[in-house]
């Protein structure tokens, strides 16, 4: 993509030592933001807000790269020499053609693989909230231009360099720029001096930094390469994380195979030349051809393509893979640790019960509008009510505002009289949030809501009626806690409300100064129904040997009730609930020892998630972990598969994840695991197919040479390699799911593409292919249809060629499952595969049956009897492998 030449007139000034007004004028914008037209104009002028990418390889470069392979060069030179010396120009031409086609296919494969990886990256560009023409819009951060007004909140990734214009408890973590991992407090005050380091520019926010706390706003002063990261990073590496661990594994194996095959080729050459007196050039050509055919250099690209096709399938099913290795790892998942709210449940909160003035009332009852519980739950609330009555905000909070409106209490009116002047935002560690309001009489009201247990620790009094405030003694406290427990047992999320009056605005405004000495006002119990598909997905995961684990900030009793309904804990099993506090009391060793006892974690904070991941990993398990908040990022990173939430997730958490759920749905994780298992199995199939075929080729040629028999011609071997390798291998990569794939145990952390019987299958099946091919050759010699020795040998060699090619295509059916019978898996369920086999068969067939063509390939027409011999070998290949699989299944059962 040609980047529009980004405007060179750089905004080089230091913005931190200029007042907001100056910055605003300088960038010709207002706090209402740019007009959309203005934004478009600037976009044309400045270009996209993206870091430049490293140079891309052109297709021509890729094509040329295909010939960097030493073997290919030797092959071409040898072909040319044989053309000159032996006047075998037809051979040389075919070899050249095959090499060219091979190179073109290589280019296509590589660019397909890269396209797929591009698509992954495209998907992961973050969103930004921007104000334009007075309207708040969500746009791709690439669309930002200098002068835009950007809104920040906890969990956002700063989308460009900003001069802050507003901040409320704003904290930003800038370690990527400064190396300092402690979040920096930000405000809007203009700084003095012009020599202030990046880490100290407290009124600026820099691209790619993480907002960890609070809220803010700022004017974009730099985009794309004209940002601090742009200057530092220079270029982003476009090649990151494109090879997966198992691919690396495979590459290593590839190197070993290469050496092995070269040794075999060398031995072949020496034996053929010295012992059997073959022409050296012929021997060289066939040895090199063997090396070219048998070295599986296309394998990594094929694996990438299969993985990439897997990501497309997953995307259709709402699992957006951000990092290719995740596809591979997903299939091996042992543990799915999932947040409760929104993932297992719908995150549609509805108030069911309310407790105030010492009594519980169903939500259907009328409520006195002057009760302070109702007031506080509306005040300590970030919900925005839009013009059309639609509510924006956290479902827990919108439910409360909705409840108020339903009862006839409109918080908007209240806020006009009691404006909010301060806040201590909610965080999942404290499990509280507070707002401070200016009262007409000059005093301030502190409104607090949050987890009842937390709240009661900070309350000293309780409201028991209108203007009836009593000390919160132990009996009263116990009564509230009992009530809390009762609601929780009914699977409700319970929030408590409290308040106090103060004479002056606390300074500094934080939890310690605000959230103490409170008057307890009441409780509210909310139901968040399970997702309808969740229980089934839990059952499916369990039947696949995967342990679902629920993690929640909610009360343990609520958690237990919901986990019970979902089947995460079942009455019989001893899987227990562990709370964050209990976890805090456990040593790492203790926890590791006991981790398998717990399926539910309640009242935990994000830090606990990291311990849960690590403990399971220590036990050798592959852990998938969900997360949505900014504090979840470390857990998402340490999990084998970090799973972000597409709808409710913060940008920071999405950035830290390997996969994002477009629908936030637990069931989608299970679907993705199933896809991951399928993709893994299909890669194994492609590998098993290719390597057994190659082994068959090597054995056939090696033994032919050793025995001094006729040896297949280079063009024959190269043609077999060209037409029977790639198509079926890629087609095997899109095989439908094998029956019962979610009834097996996870494959285990240390498994690789050769685990589970693939290695041994490659070996015995390769030997079988070679043996049958040689058998057909000998059969052709021993049961000739002609009498002249020349005819007999030419026929036998043609039969061997046909067999070696077609037996691979027959064998492709075997490979559809490592252990299951072809009759279980089905012969023709994969359209792409059927086509691949058909095309490959035709391409082999034409070289034999089309007169003239067969001359080029040094083969002859076969009669029916000979064809039947060839086809019998193919059928035998099917039958023998079926029998061996049958025996293996029998032995496996015992
Ligand atoms: N907006 C809020 N204001 C005050 N307290 C809240 C708010 N949201 C949640 N809480 C309290 O904090 C506790 C933990 O909430 P948190 O947000 O950490 O859990 P969650 O992530 O929403 O749920 P889960 O962990 O099940 O996905 C809740 O049980 C509730 O008591
Ligand atoms: Ca091959």
């Amino acid at each position: 993509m040609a980047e529009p030449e980004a405007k060179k007139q750089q905004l080089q000034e230091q913005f931190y030592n200029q007042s907001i007004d100056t910055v605003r004028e300088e960038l010709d914008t207002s706090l209402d933001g740019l007009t959309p037209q203005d934004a478009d104009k600037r976009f044309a002028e400045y270009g996209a807000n993206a870091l430049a990418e490293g140079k891309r390889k052109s297709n021509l470069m890729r094509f040329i790269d295909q010939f960097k392979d030493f073997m290919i060069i030797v092959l071409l030179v040898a072909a040319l020499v044989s053309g000159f010396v032996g006047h075998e120009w037809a051979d040389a031409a075919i070899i050249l053609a095959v090499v060219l086609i091979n190179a073109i296919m290589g280019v296509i494969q590589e660019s397909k693989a890269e396209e797929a990886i591009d698509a992954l990256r495209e998907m992961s560009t973050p969103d930004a909230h921007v104000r334009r023409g007075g309207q708040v819009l969500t746009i791709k951060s690439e669309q930002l231009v200098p002068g835009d007004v950007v809104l920040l909140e906890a969990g956002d990734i700063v989308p460009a360099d900003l001069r802050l214009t507003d901040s409320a408890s704003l904290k930003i973590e800038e370690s990527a720029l400064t190396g300092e991992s402690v979040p920096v407090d930000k405000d809007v005050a203009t700084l003095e001096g012009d020599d202030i380091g990046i880490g100290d520019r407290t009124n600026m926010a820099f691209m790619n930094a993480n907002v960890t706390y609070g809220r803010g706003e700022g004017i974009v002063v730099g985009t794309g390469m004209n940002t601090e990261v742009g200057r530092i990073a220079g270029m982003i590496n476009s090649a990151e994380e494109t090879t997966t661990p198992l691919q690396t594994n495979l590459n290593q194996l590839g190197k070993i195979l290469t050496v092995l095959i070269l040794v075999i080729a060398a031995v072949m050459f020496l034996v053929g030349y010295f012992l059997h007196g073959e022409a050296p050039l012929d021997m060289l050509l066939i040895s090199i051809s063997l090396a070219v055919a048998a070295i599986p250099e296309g394998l990594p690209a094929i694996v990438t393509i299969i993985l990439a096709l897997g990501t497309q399938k997953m995307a259709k099913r709402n699992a957006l893979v951000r990092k290719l290795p995740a596809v591979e790892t997903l299939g091996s998942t042992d543990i799915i640790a999932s947040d409760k709210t929104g993932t297992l449940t719908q995150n549609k909160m509805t108030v069911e019960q309310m407790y105030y003035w010492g009594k519980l009332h169903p939500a259907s009852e009328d409520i006195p509008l002057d009760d302070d519980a109702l007031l506080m739950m509306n005040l300590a609330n970030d919900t925005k009510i839009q013009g059309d009555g639609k509510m924006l905000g956290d479902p827990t909070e919108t439910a409360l505002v909705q409840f108020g409106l339903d009862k006839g209490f409109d918080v908007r009116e209240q806020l006009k009289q009691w404006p909010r002047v301060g806040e201590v935002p909610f965080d999942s560690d404290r499990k509280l949030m507070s707002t401070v309001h200016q009262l007409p009489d000059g005093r301030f009201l502190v409104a607090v809501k949050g987890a009842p247990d937390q709240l009661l620790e900070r309350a000293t009094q309780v409201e028991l009626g209108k203007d009836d405030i009593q000390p919160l003694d132990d009996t009263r406290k116990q009564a509230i806690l009992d009530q809390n427990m009762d609601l929780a047992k009914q699977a409700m999320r319970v929030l408590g409300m409290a308040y106090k009056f103060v004479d002056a605005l606390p300074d500094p405004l934080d939890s310690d100064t605000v959230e103490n000495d409170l008057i307890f006002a009441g409780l509210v119990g909310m139901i968040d129904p399970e997702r309808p598909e969740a229980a089934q997905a839990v059952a499916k995961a369990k039947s696949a040997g995967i342990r679902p684990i629920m993690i929640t900030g909610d009360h343990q009793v609520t958690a237990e009730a919901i986990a019970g309904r979902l089947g995460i804990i079942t009455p019989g099993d001893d899987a227990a609930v562990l709370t964050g506090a209990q976890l805090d009391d456990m040593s790492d060793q203790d926890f590791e020892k006991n981790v398998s006892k717990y399926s539910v974690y309640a009242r935990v904070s994000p830090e606990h998630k990291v311990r849960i991941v690590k403990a399971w990993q220590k036990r050798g398990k592959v852990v998938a972990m969900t997360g949505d908040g900014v504090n979840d990022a470390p857990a998402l990173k340490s999990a084998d598969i970090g799973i972000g939430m597409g709808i409710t997730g913060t940008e920071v958490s999405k950035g830290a994840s390997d996969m994002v759920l477009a629908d936030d749905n637990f069931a989608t994780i299970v679907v993705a695991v199933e896809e991951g298992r399928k993709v893994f199995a299909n890669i194994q199939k492609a590998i098993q197919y290719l390597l057994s075929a190659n082994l068959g080729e090597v054995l056939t040629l090696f033994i032919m040479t050793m025995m001094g028999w006729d040896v297949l011609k280079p063009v024959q071997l190269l043609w077999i390699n060209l037409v029977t390798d790639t198509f079926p291998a890629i087609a095997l990569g899109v095989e439908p799911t094998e029956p019962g794939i979610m009834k097996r145990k996870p494959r285990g952390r240390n498994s690789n593409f050769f685990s589970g019987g693939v290695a041994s299958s490659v070996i015995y099946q390769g030997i079988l292919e070679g043996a049958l091919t040689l058998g057909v050759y000998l059969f052709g010699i021993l049961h000739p249809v002609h009498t002249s020795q020349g005819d007999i040998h030419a026929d036998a060699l043609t039969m061997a060629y046909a067999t070696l090619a077609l037996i691979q295509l027959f064998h492709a059916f075997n490979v559809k499952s490592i252990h299951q019978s072809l009759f279980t898996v089905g012969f023709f369920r994969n359209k792409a595969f059927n086509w691949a086999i058909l095309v490959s068969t035709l391409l082999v067939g034409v070289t034999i049956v089309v007169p003239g063509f067969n001359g080029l390939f040094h083969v002859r027409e076969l009669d029916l009897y000979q064809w039947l011999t060839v086809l019998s070998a193919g059928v035998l290949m099917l039958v023998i492998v079926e029998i061996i699989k049958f025996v293996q299944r029998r032995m496996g059962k015992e």
Side-chain angles (χ1 to χ4, degrees):
M1 189 183 74
E3 295 280 329
E5 184 63 18
K7 193 169 176 182
K8 280 281 139 35
Q9 180 239 320
Q10 303 286 3
L11 304 157
Q12 285 297 5
E13 307 101 294
Q14 317 284 19
F15 291 94
Y16 52 82
N17 55 14
Q18 296 176 7
S19 72
I20 293 174
D21 278 340
T22 320
V23 174
R24 196 173 47 67
E25 272 164 33
E26 189 133 0
L27 287 156
D28 191 19
T29 183
S30 82
L31 295 183
D32 272 346
L34 301 169
T35 64
Q37 296 81 345
D38 214 3
D40 285 347
K41 245 187 22 231
R42 291 191 193 195
F43 189 77
E45 200 176 337
Y46 290 93
N49 173 32
L51 301 180
E53 280 179 31
K55 266 256 179 299
R56 286 300 174 86
K57 263 197 209 168
S58 67
N59 279 341
L60 182 66
M61 277 309 291
R62 279 213 193 96
F63 184 74
I64 293 169
D65 276 358
Q66 306 289 322
F67 299 94
K68 282 203 183 132
D69 188 341
F70 179 66
M71 284 300 117
I72 299 281
I73 296 172
V74 177
L75 177 65
L76 287 177
V77 171
L80 280 179
V81 172
S82 91
F84 276 113
V85 177
H87 299 288
E88 298 184 1
W89 285 111
D91 270 13
I94 294 182
I95 291 175
L96 184 67
V98 167
V99 167
L100 281 180
I101 297 173
N102 239 328
I104 291 171
M105 298 222 307
V107 171
I108 295 174
Q109 282 173 24
E110 273 182 27
S111 60
K112 279 273 171 256
E114 194 179 273
E115 259 171 46
I117 288 155
D118 278 350
L120 296 188
R121 192 173 318 119
E122 186 107 330
M123 224 165 49
S124 40
T125 59
D127 288 334
H129 304 286
V130 63
R131 184 177 293 122
R132 282 182 181 169
Q135 293 268 356
V136 176
L137 311 170
T138 303
I139 61 173
K140 285 273 157 214
S141 61
E142 285 180 1
Q143 309 272 307
L144 287 176
V145 294
D148 262 329
V149 174
V150 168
L151 283 68
L152 297 176
E153 64 178 12
D156 283 352
I157 294 173
V158 179
D161 281 3
L162 312 174
R163 166 68 161 93
L164 294 169
T165 55
D166 186 21
S167 79
S169 317
L170 185 63
K171 285 187 211 254
I172 298 184
E173 184 262 319
E174 306 177 323
S175 61
L177 270 174
T178 60
E180 172 59 62
S181 61
V182 179
V184 183
D185 284 302
K186 295 284 182 177
D187 55 42
V188 301
T190 308
L191 300 171
E192 300 281 335
D194 49 15
D195 201 19
I196 297 174
I198 291 181
D200 297 322
R201 297 179 195 169
T202 49
N203 57 10
M204 301 283 293
F206 299 106
M207 186 170 183
N208 285 1
N210 297 336
V211 182
T212 57
Y213 199 74
R215 279 187 289 115
E217 265 184 52
I219 297 176
V220 174
V221 296
T223 60
M225 294 307 287
N226 188 27
T227 57
E228 293 299 333
V229 267
R231 275 173 216 131
I232 292 173
M235 305 255 160
I236 57 169
N237 185 0
S238 59
E240 63 177 335
E241 301 212 54
T242 52
T243 49
T244 70
L246 291 186
Q247 267 178 298
T248 314
N249 206 307
L250 198 61
N251 290 344
Q252 283 159 358
L253 179 91
K255 292 209 180 98
I256 299 173
L257 284 182
T258 304
V259 173
L260 211 72
I261 291 165
L262 287 178
V263 169
I264 291 174
V267 171
M268 252 174 67
F269 174 81
L270 295 174
V271 170
Y273 176 52
F274 288 109
L275 280 185
H276 302 306
E278 301 279 348
L281 202 57
D282 286 354
M283 263 340 280
L284 182 66
L285 257 183
I286 186 64
S287 310
I288 297 292
S289 299
L290 180 67
V292 168
I295 293 171
E297 75 289 323
L299 209 45
I302 289 178
V303 171
T304 304
I305 290 175
I306 298 175
L307 287 170
L309 290 172
T311 66
Q312 290 171 10
K313 265 275 164 58
M314 289 184 185
K316 283 205 190 99
R317 304 182 74 177
N318 285 323
L320 313 176
V321 171
R322 297 180 69 251
K323 295 176 186 153
L324 209 52
V327 183
E328 206 172 82
T329 320
L330 264 171
S332 65
T333 306
D334 294 298
I335 310 287
I336 303 177
S338 168
D339 284 336
K340 170 179 71 67
T341 308
T343 312
L344 285 160
T345 67
Q346 303 181 15
N347 204 8
K348 285 193 186 127
M349 303 273 176
T350 322
V351 174
E352 290 271 304
Q353 302 274 345
M354 192 168 159
Y355 176 84
Y356 61 91
W357 291 345
K359 281 211 180 54
L360 190 68
H361 304 268
S364 50
E365 264 179 32
D366 280 341
I367 286 186
L369 294 188
D370 53 354
D371 102 74
D372 283 315
L374 184 67
L375 181 63
M376 299 314 152
M377 72 192 196
N378 274 285
L379 287 179
N381 199 311
D382 282 327
T383 303
K384 307 237 173 341
I385 312 177
Q386 288 186 317
D388 56 2
K390 239 188 99 192
M391 298 205 193
L392 283 185
D394 177 30
T396 301
E397 302 201 328
T398 54
L400 300 176
V401 172
Q402 188 61 52
F403 179 68
L405 287 175
D406 291 347
K407 298 294 161 202
F409 175 86
D410 191 336
V411 67
R412 286 170 290 191
E413 298 304 318
Q414 195 68 46
L415 282 171
K416 276 182 201 152
Q417 295 163 38
W418 296 1
R420 190 200 277 200
V421 291
E423 67 194 78
V424 186
F426 173 75
D427 75 61
S428 36
D429 279 332
R430 242 165 68 248
K431 301 182 172 50
L432 297 173
M433 85 165 272
S434 305
T435 55
V436 185
H437 302 263
Q438 169 108 55
L439 302 184
D441 62 5
R443 287 189 308 160
F444 295 88
L445 168 71
V446 175
V448 189
K449 82 172 190 320
D453 31 345
Q454 300 287 332
L455 202 65
L456 284 170
E457 278 176 24
R458 298 156 199 260
T460 49
Q461 302 176 79
V462 52
E463 181 177 308
L464 288 176
K466 183 85 197 134
D467 300 323
D468 179 10
I469 312 278
Q470 301 289 338
L472 184 64
D473 58 23
D474 283 349
T475 357
R476 290 189 176 120
K477 202 172 199 166
Q478 195 54 49
I480 298 169
L481 284 172
D482 287 349
Q483 204 52 256
N484 177 29
M485 196 63 97
D486 251 21
L487 295 174
K489 275 198 187 121
Q490 302 167 51
M492 280 185 223
R493 161 174 283 197
V494 190
L495 288 183
M497 281 70 65
Y499 64 95
K500 70 173 173 183
F501 295 98
V502 290
D503 292 329
L505 195 62
D507 180 36
L509 197 64
D510 58 28
S511 174
D512 291 340
T513 58
V514 169
E515 289 162 348
N516 55 38
D517 220 5
L518 300 170
I519 305 168
F520 182 83
L523 298 173
V524 59
M526 285 176 277
I527 277 287
D528 175 18
E530 298 97 55
R531 285 180 176 268
E533 58 281 71
Q536 224 183 337
V538 166
K540 191 168 180 186
K542 281 188 164 176
S543 81
I546 299 165
R547 174 103 173 238
I549 285 178
M550 186 176 104
I551 298 179
T552 176
D554 267 343
H555 195 274
Q556 60 267 36
V557 176
T558 311
E560 195 167 359
I562 293 178
R565 290 204 212 175
L566 289 170
I568 289 174
I569 42 183
T570 39
D573 65 24
D574 49 356
V577 183
L578 190 73
T579 65
Q582 291 168 327
L583 181 49
D584 283 335
D585 287 342
M586 260 190 219
S587 71
D588 279 340
Q589 288 93 324
D590 264 355
F591 181 46
E592 228 169 81
K593 226 182 285 151
N594 293 306
V595 65
S596 60
K597 286 188 192 148
Y598 308 109
S599 284
V600 174
Y601 294 86
R603 278 283 187 259
V604 288
S605 36
E607 299 83 86
H608 294 122
K609 286 184 167 182
V610 178
R611 286 189 68 189
I612 297 170
V613 169
K614 295 244 161 91
W616 277 111
Q617 284 174 336
K618 275 262 172 68
R619 307 265 301 230
K621 299 296 181 190
V622 177
V623 187
M625 166 74 81
T626 70
D628 51 9
V630 55
N631 299 333
D632 286 331
L636 290 170
K637 279 189 192 140
S638 55
D640 298 282
I641 304 174
I643 303 174
M645 298 293 139
I647 303 170
T648 54
T650 56
E651 292 300 336
V652 172
S653 63
K654 287 189 225 174
S657 58
D658 303 295
M659 176 173 98
V660 170
L661 305 178
D663 55 1
D664 289 12
N665 191 343
F666 178 83
T668 302
I669 305 175
V670 181
V671 166
V673 170
E674 182 173 358
E675 278 293 325
R677 286 189 175 192
K678 182 181 91 182
V679 168
F680 184 84
N682 288 351
I683 290 174
Q684 288 192 310
K685 290 170 198 170
I687 290 176
Q688 189 184 341
Y689 172 74
L690 277 177
L691 294 189
S692 55
N694 287 3
L695 179 57
E697 291 162 12
V698 170
L699 282 176
T700 304
L701 273 105
F702 188 70
I703 291 177
M704 281 178 159
T705 311
M706 288 297 143
M707 305 298 287
W709 298 342
D710 302 305
V711 181
L712 290 176
K713 301 279 180 277
V715 287
Q716 297 173 338
L717 188 60
L718 290 171
W719 188 252
I720 291 178
N721 186 52
L722 179 69
V723 303
T724 67
D725 267 16
T726 314
F727 300 131
I730 292 183
L732 282 164
V734 295
E735 276 285 302
T737 317
E738 273 179 56
I741 203 162
M742 288 302 266
K743 294 273 179 321
R744 303 178 196 156
K745 293 258 161 303
R747 64 173 198 254
R749 194 173 186 91
N750 295 321
S751 59
N752 58 38
F753 290 137
F754 295 91
S755 311
V758 172
S760 56
S761 297
V762 164
I763 291 169
Y764 92 77
Q765 291 162 1
I767 292 175
L768 201 54
E769 287 185 34
L772 285 168
T773 305
L774 292 169
V776 169
Y777 170 79
L778 287 179
F779 191 87
I781 301 268
L782 297 176
H783 301 273
V785 292
H786 296 278
T787 44
S788 102
Q789 278 302 311
D791 285 339
I792 292 174
H793 280 266
D795 276 6
L797 199 61
T798 299
M799 288 163 73
Y801 162 71
T803 307
L804 187 59
L806 295 181
I807 205 166
Q808 300 187 5
L809 301 177
F810 277 96
H811 181 48
F813 284 92
N814 285 325
V815 174
K816 280 170 176 264
S817 174
I818 301 180
H819 296 299
Q820 300 196 69
S821 163
L822 193 45
F823 294 97
T824 314
V825 182
F827 283 77
F828 299 114
R829 281 179 38 193
N830 177 357
K831 261 205 195 131
F833 179 84
N834 300 342
W835 279 110
I837 296 295
L838 186 67
V839 169
S840 295
T841 307
L842 290 177
L843 287 174
V844 173
V846 290
T847 58
I848 302 174
V849 298
V850 177
F853 235 65
N854 54 14
L856 289 178
F857 284 90
H858 309 285
V859 292
R860 305 153 45 106
E861 270 180 67
L862 299 176
D863 69 9
L864 183 67
Y865 172 72
Q866 290 167 321
W867 270 120
L868 283 177
T869 312
V870 169
L871 294 179
S872 318
V875 172
L876 258 181
M877 186 74 201
L878 284 176
V879 173
I880 294 173
V881 173
E882 272 293 319
I883 292 172
I884 293 177
K885 281 187 195 172
F886 178 78
V887 173
Q888 283 174 335
R889 285 198 300 273
R890 268 303 169 83
M891 297 198 326
K893 281 220 182 86
E894 275 151 24

